[in-house]
Amino acid sequence: MTQPWTFVFAVLFTLIGQRTFSQKLTISGTVRDAMSGELLIGASVGDSISGTGVHTNAYGFFSIEVPSPDHYLKVGYVGYLPVYLKNLSKLGFPLEIKLSQANNLNEIYVRENKVLRSPIGSLSIPIERIKAMPALLGEVDVLKALSFTPGVSTGTEGSAGLYIRGGTPDQNLILLDEVPVYNVMHLGGFFSVFNPNSLKSVDLYKGAFPARYGGRLASVIDLTMKDGNNQRFGGEVGLGLLNQKLTLEGPIIKNKASFIISGRVSTLGLTSLLSLRKRPGSGTGEDRVYRFYDLNAKFNYQINKTDQVYASIYNGYDRFKYAEWNTNNGKETESAVGNNWGNTTATVRYSKVFSQKLFARFALLYSKYTSEFTNNVEDKDVNEQSSFYRNTNAGVTDWGGKIQFDYFPANQLSVKFGLDATRHSFSPFVTKSNYNGLFDNTKEGQLPAYQLDFYVDGDIALTPQIRLNTGLRYSLYKVSGRAFYNPEPRLGINWSLPGNWSLKAGYSVMNQYLHLLTNNGFGFGYDAWLPSTDKVAPSRADQLSVGLYKTFPVSGWELSLEVYTKRMKNLIDYPDGTNFTGLLADSWDAMVIKNGIGRGKGMELMIGKNMGRFKGSFAYTLSKSERKFAGINEDSWYPMKYDRRQNLSLTAGYMIGKKWTLNTTFVYQTGHAVTLPEAAVLTGNGSAPKFIYNNRNNGRMPSFHRLDIGAVRSLTTARKRKAELSIGLYNAYNRNNPLYLDLKIQRSNSDFKPTEIGIKQVSFLPVLPYIGYTLKF
């Protein structure tokens, strides 16, 4: 029996063969911002007579066929004045088209086609809209902005981890200039490591994944850094309550080479200056010190019209220390625990236009993540000093390369194909210590793994109304003498209907070869990534989704309704309270619970308005996500921890005149699942009670809801520089949202005998005002 994928690829290559010998005129080139020289991703290039069109790729490149030189092209992008190209036979190769920004431009052509052609389950949020949202202490966050879209939710209050369509945060592939970032959290999860000032675009895929992405089960979040202004030097300074920011960009060689450098440094570290540690005589005290920073830098050089080189770097680090000290008659004792973590990524890319129809990019990638737990004790007096330490590190380092070709044989067909190769080096829980009886395993626990992926992506217009987004990814993964081979078919269908309606469907298979182990505890993440082994197989998921879409081009309203069903297998879990500290790479897979399965389904509704003085969106999700493991809940299904049945969010922005913009966000989520005890065993010696648990995730946290409001005032300084003043309230009506539940034994007032288990909700963030100032130059 012929497989459906055989038919799809037969159609694809037949179209390639037919178009190879066509005599139509081909026009290709790049589209840039006229003021900054930034390449524009997703700009439209359309034949104004025939109505056919294409969009620029991630490097601003396009290729389009026109039936005759007498036709003319319209090049447009949302928020920019369109450019019209005539006398097509006299245009050079490749073109370099520059668009100028325009205020209040209703670019209907771009908006309509982009919505209808994008795959199901994908969306992009403009960076400027993200930066306008109210946020915790004024710190705008890219990932939290995604949580206001359907199918995406967060964990507890303040968490930056995303739970997408029943997945967990480690099941999200997060790329920064094509490099994976393993830990995306600052301040233990209150906001992410991505500085909005350094970003050009943010794309989310949660269904019908393009074949060029792989390695995770739940989603792909693809972030692209700005290239830097190649026309003039400039930047901006940001002053806030959490941190200070500085961004610089400008030309190295005008019109050819540019740079951008953007950094943030925490202000919270200044609070340590208020702690008086040493005092004469005796006394006790404690210190809490937290600092973080992150730095983004990117350089690019346009060798000529067909060749360009890019180099990107990111480095960020968090340090947290909690210390207790005691002084008595000149002797001081201090004990301290700390948690430090950070990422470093780098990429060097080379793009080349080989012909009117063939574009290629080559990349070398580096990514390193490390997480460190420290425990130190020092005894000091006049005559002697002793110190003990224990440091445990967990990390992963990647070296890799990517090659991708974009082939445009016709307007009805575009093909992306390539390969990715990565060498992973895992270092789980490597320990150094001088405590008696503790081992030093710094020379053990290193575990390499190798991955090779081949893929082909095809975008095929079967008819003017029906498009196929089809592809196949084939992955090879080798670790400790064990090899895994997995095909991953992908298929998406877009059917344009009359009246600006469209019907979309998608099916995809994803494999994940990495597993994340996290030590339990509140606050800061101390975790380790580990590869699949002969005992723990790769996780696998397949997802089917269907959606209905409607655009209203004149008013700028958009409507989408999607439903999905998803199944997963080979999931892992581990018993509550498991501590992986000091665990070696060859023993972790004996502790986890293996071979779990998962299932999820949901409905997602979104209504948005993207034009005019009022812009905003309404998102609603009704979903269910469950897990099943042998030996848990009597082998029956139970809710996944962050299964939230209902999730509603609202974002709105309104311009008042030319100076003020009011912004608000509201979110409501039903409580996530939590495991509650059914009884407790009391002892007579005054020790803490021992709670007895039966079913996993048998209770629910209280519901979560919060309103944030903010306002942005546009200013002009005495030196004619642009500035912005941001003010607002986080958690405006002071909702006591649950952080965790505190369990205690309730006793009677008369005889102090235990009566029941009391559950107290612990909240963390009250109403918080914020103020920020940004100066652009």
Side-chain angles (χ1 to χ4, degrees):
M1 180 178 178
T2 302
Q3 296 294 324
W5 300 106
T6 305
F7 170 75
V8 170
F9 285 108
V11 172
L12 189 154
F13 288 112
T14 299
L15 288 173
I16 292 177
Q18 291 176 347
R19 295 293 177 175
T20 301
F21 301 102
S22 66
Q23 300 300 316
K24 295 182 178 180
L25 181 66
T26 300
I27 307 296
S28 63
T30 56
V31 181
R32 295 178 180 270
D33 182 306
M35 291 295 294
S36 66
E38 287 276 352
L39 292 166
L40 297 180
I41 302 172
S44 72
V45 183
D47 184 340
S48 295
I49 296 179
S50 66
T52 60
V54 298
H55 289 84
T56 56
N57 66 8
Y59 291 79
F61 179 80
F62 72 91
S63 176
I64 185 172
E65 278 187 349
V66 290
S68 166
D70 297 331
H71 288 218
Y72 63 95
L73 299 178
K74 179 183 178 182
V75 183
Y77 192 75
V78 176
Y80 287 74
L81 292 168
V83 169
Y84 295 88
L85 303 178
K86 301 180 180 180
N87 301 319
L88 301 183
S89 60
K90 298 181 180 179
L91 298 178
F93 164 76
L95 292 177
E96 189 171 79
I97 303 167
K98 296 183 178 181
L99 302 182
S100 300
Q101 296 187 25
N103 295 325
N104 301 321
L105 176 67
N106 297 335
E107 184 53 78
I108 299 171
Y109 180 89
V110 178
R111 186 179 308 281
E112 178 181 345
N113 281 276
K114 193 169 184 179
V115 170
L116 299 184
R117 291 189 57 170
S118 60
I120 186 173
S122 66
L123 61 91
S124 299
I125 301 181
I127 295 297
E128 292 305 315
R129 189 182 306 172
I130 293 174
K131 293 170 71 173
M133 290 183 178
L136 173 63
L137 296 179
E139 185 57 38
V140 177
D141 184 70
V142 171
L143 297 189
K144 284 189 177 179
L146 294 177
S147 70
F148 290 99
T149 63
V152 183
S153 65
T154 58
T156 54
E157 172 76 296
S159 173
L162 298 182
Y163 297 80
I164 299 178
R165 288 190 171 179
T168 52
D170 60 295
Q171 294 175 353
N172 302 320
L173 176 63
I174 302 180
L175 301 172
L176 179 63
D177 271 2
E178 304 193 43
V179 186
V181 182
Y182 283 93
N183 188 312
V184 296
M185 298 182 182
H186 276 318
L187 197 57
F190 287 101
F191 59 96
S192 73
V193 302
F194 303 112
N195 184 349
N197 291 343
S198 68
L199 297 178
K200 175 165 59 175
S201 66
V202 180
D203 297 312
L204 169 66
Y205 300 89
K206 55 186 178 179
F209 303 96
R212 60 186 179 275
Y213 298 114
R216 300 293 191 275
L217 301 186
S219 75
V220 176
I221 302 173
D222 195 352
L223 303 104
T224 303
M225 288 177 56
K226 292 179 180 177
D227 299 326
N229 194 316
N230 67 11
Q231 299 298 307
R232 66 179 185 87
F233 178 82
E236 62 180 81
V237 177
L239 306 176
L241 298 178
L242 279 179
N243 57 64
Q244 318 308 319
K245 311 173 190 177
L246 174 64
T247 301
L248 300 173
E249 61 178 322
I252 301 173
I253 303 174
K254 192 172 183 178
N255 293 319
K256 292 185 70 67
S258 62
F259 76 94
I260 181 171
I261 299 176
S262 186
R264 299 185 293 186
V265 178
S266 67
T267 310
L268 293 178
L270 298 177
T271 58
S272 63
L273 300 178
L274 304 178
S275 300
L276 298 176
R277 298 192 64 256
K278 296 183 179 180
R279 303 172 186 172
S282 62
T284 61
E286 60 183 28
D287 294 327
R288 292 180 178 87
V289 179
Y290 173 77
R291 299 182 180 92
F292 80 85
Y293 74 88
D294 53 43
L295 176 68
N296 295 81
K298 187 172 182 178
F299 308 89
N300 71 90
Y301 176 64
Q302 187 175 358
I303 301 172
N304 50 49
K305 288 187 176 182
T306 61
D307 301 68
Q308 188 154 342
V309 178
Y310 310 81
S312 307
I313 300 172
Y314 166 78
N315 178 248
Y317 211 73
D318 291 65
R319 296 181 183 273
F320 173 74
K321 178 182 178 181
Y322 172 76
E324 295 179 338
W325 51 270
N326 178 282
T327 59
N328 188 10
N329 296 325
K331 181 178 180 179
E332 180 179 349
T333 301
E334 178 181 298
S335 62
V337 294
N339 186 199
N340 310 316
W341 69 95
N343 301 273
T344 300
T345 68
T347 176
V348 177
R349 292 174 292 167
Y350 168 62
S351 66
K352 182 173 180 61
V353 180
F354 281 100
S355 70
Q356 296 269 27
K357 296 178 177 291
L358 185 62
F359 176 90
R361 65 105 168 98
F362 309 89
L364 296 176
L365 312 175
Y366 171 80
S367 178
K368 182 177 182 179
Y369 165 64
T370 182
S371 178
E372 178 185 35
F373 179 80
T374 63
N375 189 351
N376 301 279
V377 176
E378 290 188 82
D379 289 324
K380 303 175 183 178
D381 62 20
V382 177
N383 299 318
E384 62 179 334
Q385 176 175 328
S386 60
S387 62
F388 303 92
Y389 67 88
R390 178 183 182 182
N391 298 336
T392 302
N393 289 274
V396 56
T397 302
D398 292 348
W399 288 94
K402 294 184 178 183
I403 301 174
Q404 179 177 302
F405 294 91
D406 294 11
Y407 181 46
F408 307 90
N411 296 343
Q412 295 81 6
L413 174 64
S414 63
V415 182
K416 301 178 188 293
F417 56 94
L419 62 88
D420 302 341
T422 306
R423 182 191 185 276
H424 306 279
S425 179
F426 299 92
S427 304
F429 308 113
V430 177
T431 299
K432 293 181 180 180
S433 177
N434 66 350
Y435 281 91
N436 291 333
L438 289 180
F439 56 85
D440 187 326
N441 68 338
T442 55
K443 296 182 180 180
E444 304 177 39
Q446 303 295 317
L447 186 59
Y450 305 88
Q451 184 172 350
L452 186 63
D453 298 271
F454 304 90
Y455 63 88
V456 57
D457 254 329
D459 184 39
I460 310 168
L462 296 180
T463 71
Q465 290 76 36
I466 300 176
R467 302 189 70 91
L468 290 181
N469 306 109
T470 184
L472 177 67
R473 186 179 185 91
Y474 192 85
S475 59
L476 297 83
Y477 199 90
K478 185 176 182 181
V479 57
S480 299
R482 175 70 190 273
F484 302 95
Y485 306 89
N486 287 301
E488 300 178 2
R490 317 285 173 81
L491 177 62
I493 302 175
N494 292 5
W495 184 9
S496 297
L497 303 173
N500 294 315
W501 286 91
S502 65
L503 180 66
K504 302 181 185 181
Y507 174 77
S508 61
V509 173
M510 302 285 277
N511 289 281
Q512 181 164 334
Y513 299 97
L514 306 180
H515 303 279
L516 180 65
L517 305 184
T518 302
N519 277 323
N520 292 321
F522 166 69
F524 301 95
Y526 172 49
D527 47 36
W529 292 86
L530 288 155
S532 299
T533 67
D534 54 351
K535 295 180 182 178
V536 181
S539 303
R540 188 174 177 90
D542 63 273
Q543 180 181 171
L544 176 66
S545 51
V546 179
L548 185 65
Y549 305 80
K550 167 72 173 178
T551 63
F552 301 86
V554 176
S555 61
W557 287 91
E558 297 172 358
L559 167 70
S560 68
L561 177 66
E562 296 183 12
V563 295
Y564 71 89
T565 178
K566 184 177 182 180
R567 291 190 174 270
M568 295 169 280
K569 66 178 182 178
N570 297 331
L571 302 178
I572 69 166
D573 204 336
Y574 35 88
D576 292 333
T578 301
N579 191 332
F580 295 104
T581 304
L583 194 65
L584 295 179
D586 58 0
S587 59
W588 74 274
D589 51 9
M591 298 183 64
V592 299
I593 305 171
K594 312 171 188 65
N595 302 320
I597 57 176
R599 65 185 182 187
K601 57 184 177 181
M603 179 197 72
E604 301 169 358
L605 171 68
M606 187 167 186
I607 302 172
K609 187 176 187 296
N610 303 310
M611 295 164 54
R613 288 187 174 273
F614 170 78
K615 297 178 182 179
S617 65
F618 168 83
Y620 174 74
T621 303
L622 178 64
S623 63
K624 184 178 182 180
S625 180
E626 297 177 302
R627 300 288 188 266
K628 184 164 76 170
F629 285 83
I632 299 180
N633 279 22
E634 299 179 348
D635 300 345
S636 59
W637 290 98
Y638 62 89
M640 172 251 193
K641 180 178 180 181
Y642 287 103
D643 168 52
R644 298 185 185 273
R645 297 300 169 86
Q646 298 189 69
N647 190 342
L648 180 150
S649 62
L650 175 70
T651 67
Y654 183 75
M655 293 182 61
I656 301 178
K658 296 182 179 181
K659 298 292 185 180
W660 283 96
T661 302
L662 300 181
N663 300 292
T664 184
T665 60
F666 175 78
V667 61
Y668 170 86
Q669 299 174 340
T670 52
H672 66 74
V674 63
T675 302
L676 298 176
E678 298 187 354
V681 176
L682 303 179
T683 60
N685 57 7
S687 61
K690 181 179 180 181
F691 293 104
I692 299 175
Y693 297 87
N694 188 7
N695 293 326
R696 177 77 65 93
N697 294 342
N698 57 350
R700 289 277 171 177
M701 297 284 281
S703 60
F704 176 99
H705 50 89
R706 190 189 73 243
L707 173 69
D708 305 330
I709 57 176
V712 179
R713 165 77 171 178
S714 298
L715 304 171
T716 302
T717 69
R719 296 186 178 183
K720 305 301 181 181
R721 292 172 176 169
K722 294 183 179 180
E724 289 183 347
L725 176 67
S726 302
I727 56 175
L729 292 175
Y730 179 89
N731 194 8
Y733 54 82
N734 199 29
R735 161 70 176 177
N736 290 324
N737 282 306
L739 182 64
Y740 64 92
L741 300 180
D742 187 20
L743 306 177
K744 292 184 178 180
I745 300 298
Q746 302 288 345
R747 300 178 183 272
S748 64
N749 295 328
S750 58
D751 55 9
F752 204 62
K753 290 184 178 180
T755 57
E756 62 182 359
I757 301 174
I759 302 176
K760 180 183 178 181
Q761 172 186 309
V762 178
S763 301
F764 185 45
L765 295 176
V767 56
L768 293 172
Y770 70 84
I771 184 170
Y773 180 78
T774 300
L775 173 65
K776 300 180 181 180
F777 55 89

